């Protein structure tokens, strides 16, 4: 029985040595919030919301790929928030986080949608996508077809 237990312990030790330590080789990134809804923002106005990227591992994490799609009215500010990331592809220290600011600055009426995708440590299976949405109603400007009744 003792030899059987020793073999099991040796097999477990070999498996631990062969596998990476927690946080090394494992990309664990948390991005919050996953949906940023600006609601209605008037034409020429601006909405701002913070985005937080958190490294949940015990080793530094690199955001190796970043992609933005959708409306050009969404602008990412890498220097925004309380602890700015400083880059679209930041290196985040172990168990740390950084912030960015997303701005919605519509210049014309639209129902805007977009995404921001962050890929940690070159692992596309761990990529996180944030959905963006906002609306700019038609202000109703332009000419009027009502007659001028004042004389």
């Amino acid at each position: 029985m003792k030899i059987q237990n020793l073999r099991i312990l040796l097999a477990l030790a070999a498996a631990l040595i062969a596998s990476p330590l927690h946080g090394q080789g494992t990309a664990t990134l948390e991005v919050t919030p996953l949906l940023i809804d600006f609601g209605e923002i008037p034409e020429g106005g601006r909405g701002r919301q913070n985005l937080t990227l958190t490294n949940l591992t015990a080793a530094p994490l690199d955001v190796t790929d970043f992609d933005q799609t959708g409306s050009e009215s969404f602008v990412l500010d890498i220097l925004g928030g309380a602890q700015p990331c400083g880059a679209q592809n930041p290196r985040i220290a172990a168990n740390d986080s950084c912030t960015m600011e997303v701005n919605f600055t519509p210049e014309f009426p639209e129902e805007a949608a977009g995404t921001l995708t962050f890929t940690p440590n070159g692992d596309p299976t761990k990529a996180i996508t944030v959905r963006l949405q906002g609306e700019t109603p038609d202000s109703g400007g332009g000419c009027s077809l009502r007659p001028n009744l004042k004389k």
Side-chain angles (χ1 to χ4, degrees):
M1 188 71 149
K2 290 183 181 184
I3 293 176
Q4 180 71 13
N5 289 341
L6 184 57
R7 285 183 184 156
I8 293 171
L9 286 175
L10 287 173
L12 287 172
L16 285 174
I17 291 170
S19 69
L21 296 175
H22 176 71
Q24 293 179 345
T26 303
T28 306
L29 175 68
E30 178 181 75
V31 181
T32 54
L34 290 176
L35 169 64
I36 298 179
D37 184 352
F38 289 93
E40 286 191 7
I41 301 291
E43 192 174 328
R46 181 165 102 177
R48 299 182 216 182
Q49 292 200 28
N50 285 333
L51 186 66
T52 302
L53 284 68
T54 304
N55 176 0
L56 300 174
T57 69
L61 180 141
D62 292 311
V63 176
T64 53
D65 295 304
F66 168 80
D67 187 44
Q68 181 172 352
T69 65
S71 173
E72 292 181 8
S73 294
F74 297 113
V75 177
L76 183 66
D77 179 3
I78 58 173
L79 300 176
Q83 190 173 345
C85 293
Q88 293 173 341
N89 300 76
R91 169 169 266 214
I92 305 171
N95 300 307
D96 202 2
S97 63
C98 66
T99 57
M100 298 181 181
E101 184 177 89
V102 181
N103 294 294
F104 179 47
T105 54
E107 296 180 12
F108 53 86
E110 66 176 315
E111 287 186 26
T115 62
L116 304 172
T117 302
F118 302 91
T119 303
N121 292 342
D123 187 349
T125 65
K126 304 276 186 181
I128 298 176
T129 299
V130 177
R131 292 184 314 128
L132 308 172
Q133 61 189 39
E135 183 177 352
T136 304
D138 191 347
S139 61
C143 61
S144 171
L145 297 176
R146 294 184 340 167
N148 186 356
L149 299 176
K150 293 183 183 178
K151 290 195 177 189

